[in-house]
Amino acid sequence: MKIDLKKAYDMVSWEFLEEVLNHFGFPGQFVKWIMLGVTITMFSVKVNGGSHGFFAGRRGLRQGDPISPLLFVLVMEYLSRTLHTMSQLPDFKYHPMCKKLKLTHLIFADDLMIFCQGNVDSVNRVMEALAHFYTATGLEANLEKSNVYLAGVDESVRIQILAKTGFSEVFILPQSILKKVDQICRDFLWGSSVDKKKVALVAWDKVCLPKIQGVLNIKGCSNWNKASVGQLLWQIIVNKESLWVKWVHNIYMKNDTSIWTHKTPIDCSWYWRKINALKEHMQGWYNHRRYMLTQTGKYSITKSY
């Protein structure tokens, strides 16, 4: 499941935040200072370009406040512990690929990914944990922006899971869809329509070249996908401490020390098969350091495109 928390910073319960700070053992005076800074928030309403009146806030963390991300991490730690407790229940089953690492979730700020076996009991436990988290903290899953990913699940079970979660289901985009997206972009660029076709004045591959070469630098889906896969390869080679890289070694690479010499398992996932299919075309790209990094030393998809 990929879950987006609704208005995350704005919905944090102040009472819960104070309890969390006390629970983690922060000094009482320190907690008072923090809560004073959080709870003095005042709002005004802008009408016809002018601010009118003030009213006090009752919940939430201020956007842009340097301490807000740190406080939010403490709030999300409660969810991590809730999910860990949930995983100990007998009717919860780990996702087959996550069982050995006992991995139940990953959190990226207010975006959350939860992993479990595709059965109704496990999903029920996850939804109970999320409901408990909402009651305690005020943070609720945004149904419109949350998705569930299912594979190898019977149709009846799939329907039950979708009904339980209220989330939408997401599918992997095949190559044919990516080509169709590129075609729509080409037609828009040259003014083609269903009724009227126009001849492309420049080949699409050239249109996608950088502006420094005198072209438009439009992002082609296929090349963007390759640049994205390049980031995954870079992670496997460079970032050995990454949880995802550890998972890859645990599930697929095992005793292999190099991604370049790794042989693709027959029973691997579609994702891993695609990464390995592309790596043969990207080894020279990597060896000659054609990828680009940000100022902080991280791989940049945009610059490597």
Side-chain angles (χ1 to χ4, degrees), residues 14 16 29 49 51 67 102 127 138 157 161-162 177 197 203 215 222 228-229 245 271 284 297 300 302:
W14 288 347
F16 176 79
Q29 186 61 46
S51 297
I67 202 172
K102 294 186 176 181
M127 298 309 295
V157 176
I161 290 176
L162 292 177
I177 298 298
K197 292 291 182 181
V215 202
S222 296
S228 301
V229 173
V245 174
Y271 284 100
S300 171
T302 303

Side-chain angles (χ1 to χ4, degrees), residues 227 230-231 234 285-286 288-305:
Q231 183 184 43
W234 182 82
W285 163 89
Y286 180 83
H288 292 89
R289 295 183 64 86
R290 294 177 186 168
Y291 58 89
M292 300 292 289
L293 303 180
T294 64
Q295 292 181 351
T296 58
K298 295 183 179 180
Y299 180 97
S300 171
I301 296 177
T302 303
K303 293 182 178 180
S304 299
Y305 171 81

Side-chain angles (χ1 to χ4, degrees), residues 3 5 78-79 82-83 86 112 114 123-141 164 167:
I3 298 171
L5 297 177
Y78 181 76
L79 176 60
T82 300
L83 292 173
M86 170 208 68
L112 170 68
I114 299 180
V123 172
N124 274 336
R125 288 302 184 185
V126 170
M127 298 309 295
E128 288 172 3
L130 291 175
H132 170 74
F133 182 67
Y134 166 61
T135 302
T137 67
L139 296 176
E140 183 181 14
K164 291 284 184 183
F167 303 154

Side-chain angles (χ1 to χ4, degrees), residues 260-297:
W260 306 120
T261 58
H262 167 71
K263 294 184 179 180
T264 309
I266 298 176
D267 58 346
C268 69
S269 68
W270 183 89
Y271 284 100
W272 188 244
R273 193 176 298 113
K274 289 296 182 181
I275 291 174
N276 279 270
L278 193 58
K279 75 178 182 182
E280 298 176 3
H281 303 285
M282 302 189 75
Q283 186 169 6
W285 163 89
Y286 180 83
N287 291 338
H288 292 89
R289 295 183 64 86
R290 294 177 186 168
Y291 58 89
M292 300 292 289
L293 303 180
T294 64
Q295 292 181 351
T296 58

Side-chain angles (χ1 to χ4, degrees), residues 18-275:
E18 187 171 6
E19 286 186 26
V20 166
L21 291 171
N22 287 319
H23 177 79
F24 278 109
F26 289 101
Q29 186 61 46
F30 177 80
V31 174
K32 289 181 180 179
W33 289 339
I34 294 296
M35 294 310 301
L36 178 63
V38 170
T39 58
I40 61 173
T41 305
M42 300 290 289
F43 299 95
S44 63
V45 179
K46 182 171 286 189
V47 180
N48 296 328
S51 297
H52 298 271
F54 287 92
F55 59 93
R58 293 185 178 179
R59 60 171 59 238
L61 301 173
R62 282 180 286 190
Q63 299 281 352
D65 190 328
I67 202 172
S68 291
L70 304 177
L71 297 176
F72 190 76
V73 167
L74 294 179
V75 172
M76 296 305 291
E77 175 62 22
Y78 181 76
L79 176 60
S80 290
R81 298 188 180 195
T82 300
L83 292 173
H84 175 72
T85 302
M86 170 208 68
S87 68
Q88 309 302 311
L89 298 174
D91 54 349
F92 175 83
K93 304 299 180 184
Y94 288 99
H95 188 284
M97 295 291 191
C98 302
K99 186 175 182 179
K100 192 169 183 179
L101 292 176
K102 294 186 176 181
L103 180 64
T104 57
H105 66 284
L106 295 173
I107 297 176
F108 309 92
D110 59 344
D111 288 317
L112 170 68
M113 296 192 72
I114 299 180
F115 313 103
C116 69
Q117 194 176 97
N119 62 65
V120 176
D121 288 339
S122 296
V123 172
N124 274 336
R125 288 302 184 185
V126 170
M127 298 309 295
E128 288 172 3
L130 291 175
H132 170 74
F133 182 67
Y134 166 61
T135 302
T137 67
L139 296 176
E140 183 181 14
N142 188 340
L143 297 182
E144 295 180 357
K145 295 183 179 180
S146 299
N147 310 106
V148 59
Y149 298 78
L150 299 169
V153 176
D154 292 338
E155 181 65 16
S156 60
V157 176
R158 186 185 72 85
I159 293 174
Q160 290 182 66
I161 290 176
L162 292 177
K164 291 284 184 183
T165 61
F167 303 154
S168 59
E169 188 175 6
V170 173
F171 301 91
I172 299 171
L173 291 177
Q175 191 67 26
S176 59
I177 298 298
L178 296 178
K179 290 181 179 179
K180 184 64 177 178
V181 172
D182 279 342
Q183 180 185 339
I184 293 173
C185 293
R186 286 198 303 269
D187 291 344
F188 176 80
L189 178 64
W190 302 117
S192 295
S193 63
V194 177
D195 302 324
K196 186 178 181 181
K197 292 291 182 181
K198 290 189 176 181
V199 178
L201 302 179
V202 182
W204 183 247
D205 291 341
K206 292 186 177 180
V207 171
C208 295
L209 292 175
K211 289 183 179 180
I212 195 173
Q213 297 184 26
V215 202
L216 297 178
N217 193 32
I218 293 177
K219 301 294 189 283
C221 289
S222 296
N223 289 334
W224 185 267
N225 183 54
K226 291 178 182 178
S228 301
V229 173
Q231 183 184 43
L232 299 179
L233 290 173
W234 182 82
Q235 287 275 359
I236 293 172
I237 297 166
V238 176
N239 195 1
K240 301 296 185 182
E241 295 303 312
S242 165
L243 180 59
W244 178 75
V245 174
K246 290 181 179 179
W247 178 84
V248 165
H249 278 277
N250 180 64
I251 298 298
Y252 293 129
M253 295 184 64
K254 296 182 179 178
N255 297 324
D256 294 337
T257 57
S258 172
I259 183 64
W260 306 120
T261 58
H262 167 71
K263 294 184 179 180
T264 309
I266 298 176
D267 58 346
C268 69
S269 68
W270 183 89
Y271 284 100
W272 188 244
R273 193 176 298 113
K274 289 296 182 181
I275 291 174

